Amino acid sequence: MSRARITGTGSALPDKIITNRDLEQMVETSDEWITTRTGIKERRIAADREYTSTFAVEAGRRALAMSGTGADELDLIILGTVTPDFPFPATACIIQKELGAHKAAAFDLSAACSGFMYGLSIATTHIRAGAAKKALVIGAEVLSRVVDWTDRNTCILFGDGAGAAVVEACEGESGILSTHIFSDGSHWDQLYLPAAGSRNPASCQRTIDERLYYLRMEGNDVYKHAVRAMEEAAITALNANGMSPSDISLFIPHQANRRIIDATAKRLGLSEDKVFVNLHTYGNTSAASIPIALDEANRSGAIKKGDIVLMDAFGGGFTYASALVRW
Ligand code: UT7
């Protein structure tokens, strides 16, 4: 059976920056509160004519270029997102057209902040089963369009952007050692977007006046579950491979809150130098956060050949996931 290996990474971010100081002018908050409670200093926000597909296509192109893969070689394009360009068709189909990936099957995957990791798991499974040879997995979001900019509990957290990875069949020691995906639907209503689906069809009185097109989150509950679930996903990955935290060269967690990352790393016994953090510059980009971080780590040389990299996500649903990779 072939292994699946990540052979290219890419990311793309909007140019526009909103700092904590900018947010002080919009809602009752402070740079000090946001920094100490979350670790975020600034986030990137899409311009008017930039969409989820805009960043996804660019991130995908960069990943393909790094891997030396032609778009027409792709068998599969999987986009993890909760902010597609439209409810349908799949934004992955728009990406397929823009890239010229004629023979790829393309679909969107809704697993909130775990979307990229779920996509990575499905691509890996397809490749190992011989159903695909080359896949492009993307996490992309324009959360700024569904964030309530009058709600200080949520608007300070999120940002826009995309990250991508080319995953292909290979032989040898390097590659994706395991992926694990989990869900706990009993908490679906702690982080969700009420409208734009079949429960709350468009109506001025309800969906607009009641602000149902904006995401809602019970931050404190989400926070507690995130730490526990990310620890469980990480330990499951290590146990499945007969490894311990000391084997990890680099830990790439979902970038939601510095305190969640630090608490998870502490539970795993990982020192700070083994944990990749970039959320101070981008905030929480949901499905895009891990592939953006992976691309930055890869391009900066923070990951070297042979390194053991653990990726670990948590998001709405709840969903959570881990992937262990020998680079
Ligand atoms: O991507 C995966 C899903 N998302 C996450 O993982 C996010 C998980 N949650 C979190 O990161 C944190 O819960 C938050 C950063 C959202 C909030 O931090 P917290 O320490 O849980 O604060 P809290 O919600 O308990 O609120 C504490 C206080 C409240 O005031 P009172 O009720 O104590 O008077 C809030 O109203 O802080 C207040 N507050 C703010 N104050 C200034 C909430 N947001 C702000 C703000 N600026 N932006």
Side-chain angles (χ1 to χ4, degrees), residues 28-29 33 37-38 113 152-153 156-157 191 217 219-220 222-223 254 256-257 259-260 284 314:
E28 200 183 324
T29 192
W33 192 96
R37 294 294 180 119
T38 72
C113 303
R152 70 176 183 173
N153 290 292
I156 54 124
L157 296 170
L191 177 49
M217 179 173 73
N220 211 266
V222 174
Y223 180 104
H254 171 46
N257 184 317
R259 291 185 296 144
I260 294 175
N284 179 350
F314 177 84

